Amino acid sequence: MTDHVEIPTRMLVHALIREDGTVSANDLYTVASTLGMSDQQVRLCVKRLVAERRFTSKGRGRKAVLHATDDTTQALAPNADFLRLAFRQDAGLAPWDGVWHLAAFAVPESARTARDALRETLVHLGGAPLQGGLYVCANAWEPYVEDAARRLGAHSALTLLSTTDLRRGDTQDPAELVRRLWPLQEIADRYHRLTRIARPRLDRLTGSAELSPPALLTLAVELAAELTRAMEPDPLLPPPLLPQPWPGTEARKIIARCWAALSERDHGEARPTLFRLYADITRGAADRATR
């Protein structure tokens, strides 16, 4: 019995965007049915996405083709930089230089929406709050922070700095600071779940049974959804600062093998963008995992 993967309908549509920016309605309805979604549920989601001008649609029913708008394509492009960093860390190719990166801001109450969005973005980028308006990250995040602050109209209120001497109260040891600042157990639990999800799906992908194109798409969407759930809250802390063995390393090894198996079963048909993206990023990790 494998763990159930909960996938919002909107996430499914986004995951099935092909490299030409289209989504086949037939693929969408077929995979949705496999995941336990109703046709009505899919139709309502597509209607909302078209109304929001995130997609246009040509044709009707299962013969329809959705076209992602430029804004949608750009907004949904997976942040490959962070996934690449994770696999480089796992391989020991991104050693920590001992530098802490800090971001401070003072956004007035009149711009509360921008202030709250900047806080959420800093946490999403791997930061942890030290005190009001001051966040710390163990990786060089400056370009991402500045881009976010500019988009939110808060760049003039942003201060960036770095240091090798970070103390909180009497705590200065980097590993101890990490334990106090980030919810490591919660992050680890997400990776334990990812491993539980990925193992039986790897068995199917590497087994002798034939898998139809819709079955492969379903497996890919499930794996991508769970990888996203595990990776999004992960600050990608350098391995020397984490408890060892770290469950994220093992989970990503299994994911890499899954994607290698998916690629081997790809017969050149039009595939979602995530097939190529994940296959490219995880190729080296999959090779190492099978040695």
Side-chain angles (χ1 to χ4, degrees), residues 3-6 187-199 226 229-230 251:
D3 289 66
H4 174 68
V5 178
E6 188 68 34
I187 297 166
D189 289 343
R190 288 175 179 263
Y191 280 118
H192 287 307
R193 173 178 166 80
L194 177 58
T195 296
R196 293 197 311 271
I197 293 289
R199 282 193 187 280
E226 283 302 323
R229 287 194 180 99

Side-chain angles (χ1 to χ4, degrees), residues 124-144:
H124 178 74
L125 291 173
L130 286 171
Q131 58 189 59
L134 179 62
Y135 289 72
V136 61
C137 181
N139 298 310
W141 64 347
E142 287 79 1
Y144 306 103

Side-chain angles (χ1 to χ4, degrees), residues 122-281:
L122 291 175
V123 173
H124 178 74
L125 291 173
L130 286 171
Q131 58 189 59
L134 179 62
Y135 289 72
V136 61
C137 181
N139 298 310
W141 64 347
E142 287 79 1
Y144 306 103
V145 173
E146 288 196 281
D147 284 348
R150 285 193 178 95
R151 288 197 309 272
L152 296 168
H155 189 258
S156 62
L158 178 69
T159 299
L160 298 172
L161 61 150
S162 60
T163 182
T164 56
D165 181 17
L166 179 65
R167 284 173 286 176
R168 194 179 198 193
D170 294 328
T171 303
Q172 186 173 13
D173 176 69
E176 181 59 29
L177 283 169
V178 161
R179 285 192 289 273
R180 290 172 178 260
L181 292 172
W182 281 275
L184 295 187
Q185 187 57 57
E186 178 183 329
I187 297 166
D189 289 343
R190 288 175 179 263
Y191 280 118
H192 287 307
R193 173 178 166 80
L194 177 58
T195 296
R196 293 197 311 271
I197 293 289
R199 282 193 187 280
R201 288 161 178 81
L202 176 61
D203 291 341
R204 289 187 64 192
L205 288 166
T206 56
S208 57
E210 188 69 25
L211 292 173
S212 66
L216 290 174
L217 280 175
T218 300
L219 288 168
V221 170
E222 289 178 333
L223 290 166
E226 283 302 323
L227 178 61
T228 297
R229 287 194 180 99
M231 289 282 296
E232 279 193 343
D234 184 357
L236 297 181
L237 295 158
L241 306 184
L242 292 169
Q244 296 299 327
W246 178 243
T249 304
E250 177 64 19
R252 285 188 288 266
K253 282 182 182 178
I254 299 172
I255 284 290
R257 292 178 61 195
C258 287
W259 232 265
L262 277 164
S263 297
E264 288 176 5
R265 287 179 178 262
D266 184 0
H267 302 302
E269 300 178 28
R271 293 297 188 201
T273 301
L274 61 85
F275 264 72
R276 178 188 55 78
L277 177 70
Y278 285 8
D280 289 347
I281 293 175

Side-chain angles (χ1 to χ4, degrees), residues 4-189:
H4 174 68
V5 178
E6 188 68 34
I7 300 174
T9 315
R10 185 172 294 233
M11 179 186 289
L12 172 60
V13 178
H14 293 163
L16 293 181
I17 296 175
R18 298 180 293 205
E19 293 192 38
D20 63 358
T22 65
V23 177
S24 162
N26 184 58
D27 286 346
L28 176 58
Y29 281 102
T30 300
V31 176
S33 177
T34 304
L35 294 170
M37 300 176 186
S38 68
D39 286 1
Q40 177 69 2
Q41 186 178 348
V42 175
R43 280 194 294 270
L44 289 174
C45 180
V46 170
K47 186 176 181 179
R48 285 193 296 269
L49 290 170
V50 171
E52 294 169 9
R53 298 183 180 180
R54 298 181 183 276
F55 287 84
T56 60
S57 178
K58 292 184 179 180
R60 296 177 64 82
R62 288 179 175 264
K63 294 182 179 180
V65 176
L66 304 178
H67 294 259
T69 62
D70 289 341
D71 288 345
T72 297
T73 301
Q74 293 172 10
L76 296 174
N79 200 325
D81 292 348
F82 294 106
L83 190 56
R84 289 193 181 95
L85 173 60
F87 280 104
R88 285 177 56 80
Q89 288 178 332
D90 293 340
L93 300 176
W96 189 47
D97 58 7
V99 175
W100 299 100
H101 301 262
L102 295 100
F105 61 90
V107 180
E109 177 66 21
S110 59
R112 180 171 54 185
T113 300
R115 183 186 63 196
D116 293 346
L118 185 56
R119 286 173 178 163
E120 292 176 5
T121 300
L122 291 175
V123 173
H124 178 74
L125 291 173
L130 286 171
Q131 58 189 59
L134 179 62
Y135 289 72
V136 61
C137 181
N139 298 310
W141 64 347
E142 287 79 1
Y144 306 103
V145 173
E146 288 196 281
D147 284 348
R150 285 193 178 95
R151 288 197 309 272
L152 296 168
H155 189 258
S156 62
L158 178 69
T159 299
L160 298 172
L161 61 150
S162 60
T163 182
T164 56
D165 181 17
L166 179 65
R167 284 173 286 176
R168 194 179 198 193
D170 294 328
T171 303
Q172 186 173 13
D173 176 69
E176 181 59 29
L177 283 169
V178 161
R179 285 192 289 273
R180 290 172 178 260
L181 292 172
W182 281 275
L184 295 187
Q185 187 57 57
E186 178 183 329
I187 297 166
D189 289 343

